[in-house]
């Protein structure tokens, strides 16, 4: 091998070494940027987990509130049904009493009419 060939080979080797070093520098910079991106995402994930936990607690609390409201509505419905039945019973009783009074009034009117006829026939 001639000194020029050796010189060329050495230059080529140095060029390859320079490309390798440049590539390593770029890779190191990319790794650092990716590490920063990963760190930011990890913080977002932690924050989202806390938000999700808080939302789960809120949902659980709302479910309990809804259960309580359903129980109250059920009780209120039963109370209203009982009041309606009681009112309906009073209404039926009042109707019966009115019918009884009307029947008595009709009888009294008939008796009065009969007495008037008797008095007018007797006079």
């Amino acid at each position: 091998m001639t000194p020029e060939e050796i010189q060329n080979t050495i230059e080529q080797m140095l060029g390859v070494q320079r490309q390798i070093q440049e590539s390593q520098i770029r890779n190191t910079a990319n790794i650092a940027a990716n590490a920063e991106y990963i760190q930011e995402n990890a913080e977002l994930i932690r924050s989202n987990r806390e938000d999700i936990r808080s939302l789960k607690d809120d949902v659980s609390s709302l479910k309990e509130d809804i259960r309580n409201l359903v129980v109250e509505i059920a009780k209120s419905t039963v109370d209203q049904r009982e009041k309606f039945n009681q009112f309906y019973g009073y209404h039926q009783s009042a109707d019966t009493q009115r019918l009884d009074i009307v029947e008595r009034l009709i009888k009294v009117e008939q008796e009065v009419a009969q007495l008037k006829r008797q008095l007018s026939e007797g006079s």
Side-chain angles (χ1 to χ4, degrees), residues 78-92:
V78 168
D79 290 345
Q80 288 176 352
R81 186 176 293 136
E82 289 174 358
K83 286 178 183 177
F84 174 79
N85 289 338
Q86 188 178 27
F87 173 76
Y88 185 73
Y90 290 148
H91 179 73
Q92 291 297 341

Side-chain angles (χ1 to χ4, degrees), residues 60-73:
S60 294
S61 176
L62 289 173
K63 281 182 180 179
E64 187 62 29
D65 291 347
I66 289 170
R67 280 189 205 104
N68 291 337
L69 285 172
V70 167
V71 167
E72 287 180 33
I73 289 170

Side-chain angles (χ1 to χ4, degrees), residues 32-120:
N34 286 338
E36 185 176 324
Y37 177 76
I38 289 170
Q39 183 64 31
E40 289 171 3
N41 284 334
E43 290 173 15
L44 284 173
I45 289 169
R46 276 189 226 104
S47 174
N48 286 341
R49 279 186 188 150
E50 291 172 12
D51 291 345
I52 289 169
R53 283 188 193 117
S54 176
L55 288 173
K56 282 182 179 180
D57 292 344
D58 290 348
V59 167
S60 294
S61 176
L62 289 173
K63 281 182 180 179
E64 187 62 29
D65 291 347
I66 289 170
R67 280 189 205 104
N68 291 337
L69 285 172
V70 167
V71 167
E72 287 180 33
I73 289 170
K75 287 178 182 177
S76 176
T77 301
V78 168
D79 290 345
Q80 288 176 352
R81 186 176 293 136
E82 289 174 358
K83 286 178 183 177
F84 174 79
N85 289 338
Q86 188 178 27
F87 173 76
Y88 185 73
Y90 290 148
H91 179 73
Q92 291 297 341
S93 296
D95 281 350
T96 302
Q97 289 174 353
R98 271 184 284 216
L99 286 175
D100 188 41
I101 291 171
V102 169
E103 288 173 358
R104 287 181 184 178
L105 182 60
I106 290 171
K107 282 183 183 180
V108 168
E109 287 175 348
Q110 288 172 349
E111 289 175 3
V112 167
Q114 187 179 7
L115 286 172
K116 281 183 182 180
R117 268 183 274 142
Q118 287 175 358
L119 284 175
S120 65

